[in-house]
């Protein structure tokens, strides 16, 4: 059973910082691509940042220079350090894990995506 759980959200003043965490389990032997998405009320879910197991990263333009994605492969935990938060960052933040076959074995969940339930981020002016 793949389990994905976000944490670390909260309410801060504009200019403040938060560090989000995504803890995952249940996918031993799989390669993973882990991403953060945000979804503001009445808006589409948007990509924020992603990281592969090899450490390669991708950032949305809005996140570049302010957010940093990282991971602890041993703990199977992904982080998003969010600095210089603005009201535009206010949203639910979701962790996505996309699984695929590893180099040495088949992944039971190859080609599947798993999502956490989200963690709230509020940045007030």
């Amino acid at each position: 059973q793949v389990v994905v759980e976000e944490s670390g959200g909260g309410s801060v003043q504009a200019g403040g910082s938060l560090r989000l965490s995504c803890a995952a389990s249940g996918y031993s032997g799989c390669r993973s691509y882990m991403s953060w998405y945000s979804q503001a009320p009445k808006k589409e879910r948007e990509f924020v940042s992603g990281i592969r197991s090899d450490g390669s990263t991708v950032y949305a333009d809005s996140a570049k220079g302010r957010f940093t994605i990282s991971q602890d492969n041993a703990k199977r935990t992904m982080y998003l350090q969010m600095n210089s938060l603005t009201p535009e960052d206010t949203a639910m933040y979701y962790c996505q894990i996309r699984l695929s076959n590893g180099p040495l074995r088949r992944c039971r969940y190859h080609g599947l995506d798993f999502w956490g339930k989200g963690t709230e981020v509020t940045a007030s002016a």
Side-chain angles (χ1 to χ4, degrees):
Q1 186 87 332
V2 176
V3 178
V4 182
E5 184 174 7
E6 305 95 334
S7 63
S11 298
V12 299
Q13 299 283 4
S17 299
L18 288 170
R19 191 184 191 221
L20 308 185
S21 298
C22 174
S25 63
Y27 58 95
S28 297
C30 302
R31 277 179 168 166
S32 65
Y33 177 73
M34 304 180 70
S35 300
W36 288 101
Y37 285 76
S38 66
Q39 187 167 25
K42 300 183 180 180
K43 292 187 177 181
E44 294 182 352
R45 190 169 297 186
E46 298 181 344
F47 174 81
V48 177
S49 185
I51 187 167
R52 295 185 179 275
S53 57
D54 66 5
S56 60
T57 60
V58 179
Y59 293 93
D61 287 341
S62 61
K64 292 179 180 178
R66 299 190 301 127
F67 298 173
T68 302
I69 190 170
S70 62
Q71 66 186 357
D72 183 334
N73 287 328
K75 296 182 178 180
R76 295 178 179 173
T77 302
M78 176 179 65
Y79 307 95
L80 185 68
Q81 179 65 47
M82 309 170 71
N83 298 327
S84 302
L85 287 164
T86 73
E88 288 72 32
D89 298 314
T90 296
M92 287 289 296
Y93 283 74
Y94 297 91
C95 176
Q96 179 207 54
I97 302 178
R98 177 168 292 174
L99 301 178
S100 62
N101 291 329
L104 302 177
R105 62 184 293 180
R106 174 185 175 275
C107 173
R108 176 182 179 183
Y109 307 105
H110 176 76
L112 300 180
D113 295 344
F114 297 87
W115 295 85
K117 295 182 179 180
T119 184
E120 294 184 14
V121 170
T122 301
S124 58

